[in-house]
Amino acid sequence: MKAEVIAVGSELLLGQIANTNGQFLSQQLAKAGVDVFYHSVVGDNATRLQETLEIASERSELIILTGGLGPTKDDLTKEVVASFLHKELVIDEVALEQIVSFFEKRNLPMTENNRKQALVLKEATIFQNHYGMAPGMATIHQGVTYVLLPGPPREMRPMVTEQVIPFLSSHVGDLQIISRVLRFFGIGESKLETELEDLIDGQSNPTIAPLASEGEVTLRLTVKHHDETQAALLLDETERKIRERVDHYFYGYDETSLMEKLVSCLTKTGLSLASAESLTGGLFGARITNIPGASACFLAAITTYTNDMKQSWLNVPPHVLEQHGAVSPECAIAMAQGVKKLTKADVTISFTGVAGPSPSEGKEPGTVFIGLCFRDDEPEAITLQLSGSREQIRERTLKHGCQQILNRIKRWNERSNDKV
């Protein structure tokens, strides 16, 4: 079943509200085995909505409209659909009773235009609105299923999950669409695609779709199958082939962030962490402590923005700052060692560099040094040259820091397993 979602409302086109209904419907339809091929947004205009329906009915087997079922004159979805399908609108008595009861319970006068909300397409399947007034409905015309839903998300969402999806399941059978998202950091979208080019070109079921976002890359694997167990096996096999090639950059699934993955790994391994921050201004500590359970592994974040504070709080030797400057690998290592001495953490990390917009100490914006002390290993400095705005450089620095620690934990686990 090829589906299309049409959101109705001039407020959407004006940017006054976001079209979150479209995202929600696509997610729910995918779970039900329905492919969404098109999204449209049209204002409160009968002519343009009619034109949109004409196009949609030629290319889609399921058309879902949200919005425009209310009591005012600009709520015209039902009227336009009825005219388009040459169907009569009739009062749904259950809905009308619910609307009348709403006003009576609140001792409010009910204006006549509220009766309009109880109008439904004749002989349609009705979805009662348990969180508002206007019911939803579904009707089939010349092989195309039309579903009309209220616009407010608090009314539309439960109606979809409780009534619409069961209705559609009887039309699409038990076919399911299941997705799994693999998350990567430290590799660009073009490089990742090159490494997996033959797998992507040969995809059929599951499909592989790359997507880049703020220094990260995700791969969405999507499989269709009647059997959930077999679908999972197909996803596992595709994931195995991908990770054989690019596992070094892989860090997690679905909506997991690098910070969440880091907290999880530290907690599981029993390692403690502390940070010393200059470039990032305490952002690393703030982000990591936003994650529930971070107190099990994170000890402290010390922000030393000036050279004086680096010396007095972290005991960075004066000669390091004089000879190499604060923006240097030597200073990064000294900062990581300083916070290690203060906190006794198993893992310490430091951030120093130039976020911009102007150069500092003769170094260009985006010059970043990360210091890392991991247990009894030799301390080291990682040198980065990042691009972007001041905010982007700081954000990307945090992610690189997380990745560096995760890589050290992985190597440490491998060494521990070798000893066993």
Side-chain angles (χ1 to χ4, degrees):
M1 181 177 282
K2 294 182 286 188
E4 180 160 350
V5 177
I6 301 173
V8 183
S10 297
E11 66 276 10
L12 297 168
L13 293 175
L14 293 170
Q16 294 171 341
I17 62 170
N19 183 21
T20 57
N21 285 352
Q23 179 186 30
F24 174 81
L25 284 167
S26 284
Q27 292 169 343
Q28 296 302 312
L29 291 169
K31 292 177 183 177
V34 178
D35 292 312
V36 178
F37 285 0
Y38 303 97
H39 276 259
S40 302
V41 179
V42 61
D44 300 311
N45 180 280
T47 301
R48 288 193 285 274
L49 180 54
Q50 172 92 10
E51 292 169 351
T52 303
L53 285 169
E54 288 172 359
I55 295 170
S57 64
E58 292 295 322
R59 64 189 183 187
S60 300
E61 298 160 311
L62 170 64
I63 300 170
I64 300 182
L65 300 98
T66 64
L69 304 186
T72 61
K73 289 184 178 179
D74 61 355
D75 290 313
L76 41 74
T77 300
K78 285 183 289 195
E79 289 77 4
V80 173
V81 173
S83 173
F84 179 72
L85 301 179
H86 305 291
K87 287 183 177 286
E88 183 183 351
L89 286 173
V90 296
I91 289 289
D92 181 77
E93 295 298 335
V94 175
L96 181 59
E97 183 180 339
Q98 183 177 323
I99 294 168
V100 171
S101 175
F102 173 88
F103 285 96
E104 287 179 346
K105 286 179 180 179
R106 289 159 181 78
N107 197 28
L108 295 171
M110 176 178 151
T111 56
E112 184 61 25
N113 59 354
N114 277 290
R115 291 178 57 86
K116 178 186 173 203
Q117 296 189 85
L119 285 172
V120 296
L121 296 166
K122 189 175 182 180
E123 299 178 346
T125 298
I126 307 304
F127 308 124
Q128 294 301 334
N129 191 338
H130 302 301
Y131 301 90
M133 295 191 193
M137 66 204 78
T139 189
I140 300 174
H141 181 75
Q142 296 181 355
V144 179
T145 301
Y146 297 82
V147 177
L148 284 64
L149 300 173
R154 66 180 181 84
E155 300 176 27
M156 185 274 293
R157 294 188 177 199
M159 186 180 292
V160 168
T161 56
E162 296 167 11
Q163 301 178 70
V164 177
I165 294 302
F167 167 81
L168 293 176
S169 295
S170 65
H171 290 70
V172 300
D174 60 353
L175 182 66
Q176 297 182 68
I177 300 178
I178 302 173
S179 292
R180 180 183 300 173
V181 176
L182 310 182
R183 306 190 73 88
F184 300 84
F185 183 77
I187 184 172
E189 183 181 19
S190 58
K191 174 66 173 173
L192 183 67
E193 189 168 329
T194 300
E195 293 288 337
L196 306 173
E197 187 172 6
D198 60 314
L199 296 179
I200 295 173
D201 289 344
Q203 64 181 311
S204 56
N205 191 28
T207 58
I208 305 170
L211 177 66
S213 62
E214 198 51 54
E216 298 188 35
V217 186
T218 62
L219 291 177
R220 178 177 291 277
L221 314 182
T222 304
V223 64
K224 294 182 183 180
H225 209 283
H226 294 280
D227 184 88
E228 191 171 344
T229 301
Q230 289 301 313
L233 290 174
L234 288 169
L235 289 174
D236 290 343
E237 177 61 16
T238 303
E239 179 185 338
R240 182 188 63 78
K241 291 177 180 178
I242 291 170
R243 291 184 59 181
E244 280 178 352
R245 305 184 189 187
V246 289
D247 193 53
H248 179 70
Y249 305 101
F250 171 78
Y251 76 83
Y253 296 96
D254 300 320
E255 298 305 314
T256 300
S257 69
L258 274 163
M259 284 283 185
E260 289 169 333
K261 179 68 173 180
L262 178 58
V263 169
S264 174
C265 285
L266 288 167
T267 303
K268 287 178 181 177
T269 53
L271 296 172
S272 57
L273 171 67
S275 64
E277 305 185 52
S278 181
L279 163 77
T280 49
L283 196 57
F284 181 84
R287 291 290 169 77
I288 207 164
T289 53
N290 275 341
I291 299 168
S295 58
C297 61
F298 191 65
L299 304 183
I302 299 176
T303 302
T304 53
Y305 214 60
T306 67
N307 285 357
D308 286 344
M309 291 299 100
K310 289 179 176 68
Q311 291 182 65
S312 60
W313 285 18
L314 299 175
N315 202 28
V316 174
H319 73 269
V320 168
L321 297 168
E322 291 166 4
Q323 295 177 21
H324 305 286
V327 183
S328 66
E330 292 81 4
C331 183
I333 288 175
M335 289 171 66
Q337 289 174 319
V339 73
K340 184 176 183 69
K341 186 175 181 181
L342 279 171
T343 63
K344 313 301 181 191
D346 298 307
V347 185
T348 57
I349 191 165
S350 68
F351 304 97
T352 184
V354 186
S358 303
S360 178
E361 296 184 0
K363 297 180 176 68
E364 291 299 314
T367 303
V368 173
F369 299 100
I370 298 175
L372 187 60
C373 292
F374 189 90
R375 292 178 61 83
D376 297 325
D377 293 351
E378 281 294 314
E380 60 182 307
I382 298 92
T383 302
L384 303 171
Q385 189 61 54
L386 305 177
S387 60
S389 66
R390 181 178 178 86
E391 292 74 21
Q392 288 174 320
I393 288 169
R394 295 173 74 184
E395 288 286 347
R396 291 168 185 173
T397 296
L398 299 184
K399 292 182 178 181
H400 278 281
C402 288
Q403 185 198 38
Q404 292 296 329
I405 300 172
L406 286 169
N407 286 342
R408 297 312 183 280
I409 294 174
K410 184 178 180 181
R411 294 208 294 265
W412 179 60
N413 284 334
E414 289 170 350
R415 291 201 304 266
S416 299
N417 292 333
D418 289 342
K419 290 177 183 177
V420 172

